[in-house]
Amino acid sequence: MPLPITKGPTHGKCNICTLPNQKLTSDHVPPKGTIKFPRMKLHSIIDFLEASNGMPKKGREFQQGVKFRTNCESCNSNVIGSQYDPALIKLCNDISNYLYSQIARPTAATLLTQPDLVARAIAGHVLSIGVEYFPRGEMGEALAQFVLDPNSPPPKGL
């Protein structure tokens, strides 16, 4: 099974708003500002499930996360990047700080977050995966509406 394409054309249809002929920008997955990953290896789910020893041999390595050139600048920067990613970044970093703390930790932690913004950020990044990934189906359309309209409720079944 082929791996998702990450570097698509410089202009095309945005994976989130679906406007055609847009200048496409790269969406960082995970977003910049979260915990740093020295290297990531991207596998197809089929290769992963078929691997005899639990880890497939194939895959593509990336430094500091994967970037998908799939979103227009407005969706990438003005919607996901400025409205939603700060909450996701804060939550990821708070969890990382808790887990890597040198101080004895309690068995449970309470972290302040904004679940609505975190859910919208994750939905936006999920939609960003895959160059020219259309059609995206009912759930994809519902996720796009959820990301683009900050007043919309989460899709049923999310």
Side-chain angles (χ1 to χ4, degrees):
M1 172 128 201
L3 295 172
I5 299 169
T6 59
K7 290 185 180 178
T10 57
H11 288 78
K13 188 190 247 186
C14 174
N15 272 24
I16 296 176
C17 69
T18 68
L19 289 175
N21 303 318
Q22 299 295 303
K23 181 177 186 240
L24 300 177
T25 59
S26 294
D27 181 48
H28 292 79
V29 181
K32 283 183 186 179
T34 60
I35 54 177
K36 301 295 180 226
F37 293 94
R39 282 213 127 115
M40 296 182 85
K41 197 165 191 177
L42 183 65
H43 298 278
S44 79
I45 188 72
I46 301 301
D47 291 340
F48 188 79
L49 293 173
E50 291 177 347
S52 59
N53 65 353
M55 284 304 293
K57 303 242 185 288
K58 297 178 186 176
R60 223 164 68 214
E61 286 196 12
F62 294 87
Q63 293 181 358
Q64 300 176 357
V66 183
K67 293 183 277 185
F68 293 92
R69 187 166 47 209
T70 55
N71 299 335
C72 68
E73 186 170 8
S74 178
C75 287
N76 199 21
S77 298
N78 302 336
V79 177
I80 299 174
S82 64
Q83 291 183 43
Y84 307 140
D85 273 352
L88 177 60
I89 291 166
K90 181 183 180 315
L91 178 62
C92 290
N93 291 333
D94 287 350
I95 292 169
S96 176
N97 291 337
Y98 171 78
L99 293 174
Y100 288 109
S101 172
Q102 298 297 315
I103 299 171
R105 303 183 293 273
T107 56
T110 301
L111 302 173
L112 296 177
T113 190
Q114 297 169 293
D116 182 61
L117 299 180
V118 170
R120 290 175 198 278
I122 292 170
H125 291 294
V126 166
L127 290 170
S128 301
I129 297 171
V131 172
E132 297 177 337
Y133 187 66
F134 299 101
R136 58 185 177 202
E138 266 184 57
M139 182 53 81
E141 293 301 325
L143 285 177
Q145 179 65 27
F146 181 57
V147 170
L148 292 170
D149 180 1
N151 298 313
S152 66
K156 291 188 188 292
L158 179 59

Coordinates of all heavy atoms in Angstrom, one line a residue, residues 9-48:
P9 N 1.1 19.7 -5.2 CA 1.3 20.9 -6.0 C 1.3 22.2 -5.1 O 0.8 22.2 -4.0 CB 0.2 20.9 -7.0 CG -0.9 20.1 -6.3 CD -0.2 19.1 -5.4
T10 N 1.9 23.2 -5.6 CA 2.0 24.5 -4.9 C 0.6 25.2 -4.9 O 0.4 26.1 -4.1 CB 3.1 25.4 -5.4 OG1 2.8 25.7 -6.8 CG2 4.5 24.8 -5.2
H11 N -0.2 24.9 -5.9 CA -1.5 25.5 -6.1 C -2.5 24.4 -6.3 O -2.2 23.4 -7.0 CB -1.6 26.5 -7.2 CG -0.8 27.8 -6.9 ND1 0.5 27.9 -7.0 CD2 -1.3 29.0 -6.5 CE1 0.9 29.1 -6.7 NE2 -0.2 29.8 -6.4
G12 N -3.7 24.5 -5.7 CA -4.7 23.5 -5.9 C -5.9 23.7 -5.0 O -6.1 24.8 -4.4
K13 N -6.7 22.7 -4.8 CA -7.8 22.7 -3.9 C -7.4 22.5 -2.5 O -6.7 21.5 -2.2 CB -8.8 21.6 -4.4 CG -10.1 21.6 -3.7 CD -10.9 20.3 -4.0 CE -12.1 20.6 -4.9 NZ -12.9 19.4 -5.1
C14 N -7.9 23.3 -1.6 CA -7.6 23.2 -0.2 C -8.4 22.0 0.4 O -9.5 21.8 0.1 CB -8.0 24.5 0.6 SG -7.9 24.4 2.3
N15 N -7.7 21.2 1.2 CA -8.3 20.0 1.8 C -9.4 20.4 2.8 O -10.2 19.5 3.2 CB -7.2 19.1 2.5 CG -6.6 18.1 1.6 OD1 -6.6 18.3 0.4 ND2 -6.1 17.1 2.2
I16 N -9.4 21.6 3.4 CA -10.4 21.9 4.4 C -11.5 22.7 3.8 O -12.7 22.3 3.8 CB -9.7 22.7 5.5 CG1 -8.7 21.8 6.2 CG2 -10.8 23.2 6.5 CD1 -7.9 22.4 7.3
C17 N -11.3 23.9 3.2 CA -12.4 24.7 2.7 C -12.8 24.3 1.2 O -13.8 24.7 0.8 CB -12.0 26.2 2.7 SG -10.7 26.6 1.5
T18 N -11.9 23.5 0.6 CA -12.1 22.9 -0.8 C -12.2 24.0 -1.9 O -12.6 23.7 -3.0 CB -13.4 22.0 -0.9 OG1 -14.6 22.8 -0.7 CG2 -13.3 20.9 0.1
L19 N -11.8 25.2 -1.5 CA -11.7 26.3 -2.6 C -10.6 25.9 -3.6 O -9.5 25.5 -3.2 CB -11.4 27.6 -2.0 CG -12.5 28.3 -1.2 CD1 -12.0 29.6 -0.6 CD2 -13.7 28.5 -2.0
P20 N -10.9 26.0 -4.9 CA -9.9 25.6 -5.9 C -8.9 26.7 -6.2 O -9.1 27.9 -5.8 CB -10.8 25.4 -7.2 CG -12.0 26.3 -7.0 CD -12.2 26.3 -5.5
N21 N -7.8 26.3 -6.8 CA -6.8 27.3 -7.3 C -6.2 28.1 -6.2 O -6.0 29.3 -6.3 CB -7.4 28.2 -8.4 CG -7.9 27.4 -9.6 OD1 -7.2 26.4 -10.0 ND2 -9.0 27.8 -10.1
Q22 N -6.0 27.6 -5.0 CA -5.4 28.3 -3.9 C -3.9 28.0 -3.8 O -3.5 26.9 -4.2 CB -6.1 27.8 -2.6 CG -7.6 28.0 -2.5 CD -7.9 29.5 -2.5 OE1 -7.4 30.2 -1.6 NE2 -8.7 29.9 -3.4
K23 N -3.2 28.9 -3.3 CA -1.8 28.7 -3.0 C -1.7 27.8 -1.7 O -2.3 28.1 -0.7 CB -1.0 30.0 -2.7 CG 0.5 29.7 -2.4 CD 1.2 31.0 -2.2 CE 2.7 30.6 -2.1 NZ 3.3 31.0 -0.8
L24 N -1.2 26.6 -1.9 CA -1.2 25.6 -0.8 C 0.0 25.8 0.1 O 1.1 26.0 -0.4 CB -1.3 24.2 -1.3 CG -2.6 23.9 -2.2 CD1 -2.5 22.5 -2.7 CD2 -3.8 24.2 -1.4
T25 N -0.2 25.6 1.4 CA 0.9 25.7 2.4 C 1.0 24.4 3.1 O 0.1 23.6 3.1 CB 0.5 26.9 3.4 OG1 -0.7 26.6 4.1 CG2 0.5 28.2 2.8
S26 N 2.1 24.3 3.9 CA 2.4 23.0 4.6 C 1.8 23.0 6.0 O 2.1 23.9 6.8 CB 3.9 22.7 4.6 OG 4.4 22.5 3.3
D27 N 1.0 22.0 6.3 CA 0.5 21.8 7.6 C 1.4 20.9 8.4 O 1.7 19.8 7.9 CB -0.9 21.3 7.6 CG -1.5 21.1 9.0 OD1 -1.4 22.1 9.8 OD2 -2.1 20.0 9.3
H28 N 1.9 21.3 9.5 CA 2.8 20.5 10.4 C 1.9 19.5 11.2 O 1.1 20.0 12.0 CB 3.7 21.3 11.3 CG 4.7 22.1 10.5 ND1 4.3 23.3 9.9 CD2 6.0 21.9 10.3 CE1 5.4 23.8 9.3 NE2 6.4 23.0 9.6
V29 N 2.2 18.2 11.2 CA 1.5 17.3 12.0 C 2.6 16.5 12.7 O 3.3 15.7 12.1 CB 0.7 16.3 11.1 CG1 0.0 15.3 12.0 CG2 -0.3 17.1 10.3
P30 N 2.8 16.6 14.0 CA 2.1 17.5 14.9 C 2.5 19.0 14.7 O 3.5 19.2 14.1 CB 2.5 17.1 16.3 CG 3.9 16.5 16.1 CD 3.8 15.9 14.7
P31 N 1.6 19.9 15.2 CA 1.9 21.3 14.9 C 3.2 21.8 15.6 O 3.7 21.2 16.6 CB 0.7 22.1 15.5 CG -0.1 21.1 16.3 CD 0.4 19.7 15.9
K32 N 3.8 22.8 14.9 CA 5.0 23.4 15.5 C 4.7 23.9 16.9 O 3.6 24.4 17.2 CB 5.5 24.6 14.7 CG 6.2 24.3 13.4 CD 6.6 25.7 12.8 CE 7.1 25.5 11.4 NZ 7.5 26.8 10.8
G33 N 5.6 23.8 17.8 CA 5.4 24.3 19.2 C 5.1 23.1 20.1 O 5.2 23.3 21.3
T34 N 4.7 22.0 19.6 CA 4.5 20.8 20.5 C 5.8 20.2 20.8 O 6.9 20.6 20.3 CB 3.5 19.8 19.9 OG1 4.1 19.3 18.7 CG2 2.2 20.3 19.6
I35 N 5.8 19.1 21.6 CA 7.0 18.4 22.0 C 7.8 18.1 20.7 O 7.2 17.8 19.6 CB 6.7 17.2 22.8 CG1 5.7 16.3 22.1 CG2 6.2 17.5 24.2 CD1 5.4 15.0 22.7
K36 N 9.1 18.1 20.8 CA 9.9 17.9 19.6 C 10.1 16.4 19.4 O 10.5 15.7 20.3 CB 11.3 18.6 19.7 CG 11.1 20.1 20.0 CD 10.6 20.8 18.8 CE 10.5 22.3 19.0 NZ 9.2 22.8 18.6
F37 N 9.9 16.0 18.1 CA 10.2 14.6 17.7 C 11.5 14.6 16.9 O 11.6 15.3 15.9 CB 9.1 14.1 16.8 CG 7.8 13.9 17.6 CD1 6.8 14.9 17.5 CD2 7.5 12.8 18.3 CE1 5.6 14.8 18.2 CE2 6.3 12.6 19.0 CZ 5.4 13.6 18.9
P38 N 12.5 13.9 17.3 CA 13.8 13.9 16.6 C 13.6 13.3 15.2 O 14.1 13.8 14.2 CB 14.7 13.1 17.4 CG 13.9 12.3 18.4 CD 12.6 13.1 18.5
R39 N 12.8 12.2 15.1 CA 12.6 11.5 13.8 C 11.2 10.8 13.9 O 10.9 10.3 14.9 CB 13.6 10.5 13.5 CG 14.9 11.0 13.1 CD 15.5 10.0 12.1 NE 15.8 10.7 10.9 CZ 17.0 10.9 10.4 NH1 18.0 10.3 11.0 NH2 17.2 11.5 9.3
M40 N 10.5 10.8 12.8 CA 9.3 10.1 12.7 C 9.4 9.2 11.5 O 10.0 9.6 10.5 CB 8.1 11.0 12.6 CG 7.9 11.9 13.7 SD 6.4 12.9 13.5 CE 5.2 11.8 14.1
K41 N 8.7 8.1 11.5 CA 8.6 7.2 10.4 C 7.2 7.0 10.0 O 6.4 6.6 10.9 CB 9.3 5.9 10.7 CG 9.6 5.1 9.4 CD 10.6 4.0 9.7 CE 11.1 3.4 8.4 NZ 12.1 2.3 8.7
L42 N 6.8 7.3 8.8 CA 5.4 7.2 8.3 C 5.2 5.8 7.7 O 6.0 5.5 6.8 CB 5.1 8.3 7.4 CG 3.7 8.4 6.8 CD1 2.7 8.8 7.9 CD2 3.7 9.5 5.8
H43 N 4.3 5.1 8.1 CA 3.9 3.8 7.5 C 2.5 3.8 7.1 O 1.7 4.5 7.6 CB 4.1 2.6 8.6 CG 5.4 2.5 9.2 ND1 6.4 1.8 8.6 CD2 5.9 3.0 10.4 CE1 7.5 1.8 9.3 NE2 7.2 2.5 10.4
S44 N 2.2 2.9 6.1 CA 0.8 2.7 5.8 C 0.2 1.7 6.8 O 0.9 0.9 7.3 CB 0.6 2.1 4.4 OG 0.9 0.7 4.4
I45 N -1.0 1.9 7.1 CA -1.7 1.0 8.1 C -1.7 -0.4 7.7 O -1.5 -1.3 8.5 CB -3.1 1.5 8.5 CG1 -3.7 0.8 9.7 CG2 -4.0 1.4 7.3 CD1 -3.0 1.1 11.0
I46 N -1.8 -0.7 6.4 CA -1.8 -2.1 5.9 C -0.4 -2.7 6.1 O -0.4 -3.8 6.6 CB -2.1 -2.1 4.4 CG1 -3.5 -1.5 4.1 CG2 -2.1 -3.5 3.8 CD1 -4.7 -2.1 4.8
D47 N 0.7 -2.0 5.8 CA 2.0 -2.5 6.1 C 2.2 -2.8 7.5 O 2.8 -3.8 7.9 CB 3.1 -1.6 5.6 CG 3.1 -1.5 4.0 OD1 2.6 -2.4 3.4 OD2 3.7 -0.5 3.5
F48 N 1.7 -1.9 8.4 CA 1.9 -2.1 9.8 C 1.1 -3.3 10.3 O 1.6 -4.1 11.1 CB 1.3 -0.8 10.5 CG 1.6 -0.8 12.0 CD1 2.9 -0.5 12.5 CD2 0.6 -1.2 12.9 CE1 3.2 -0.5 13.8 CE2 0.9 -1.2 14.3 CZ 2.2 -0.8 14.7

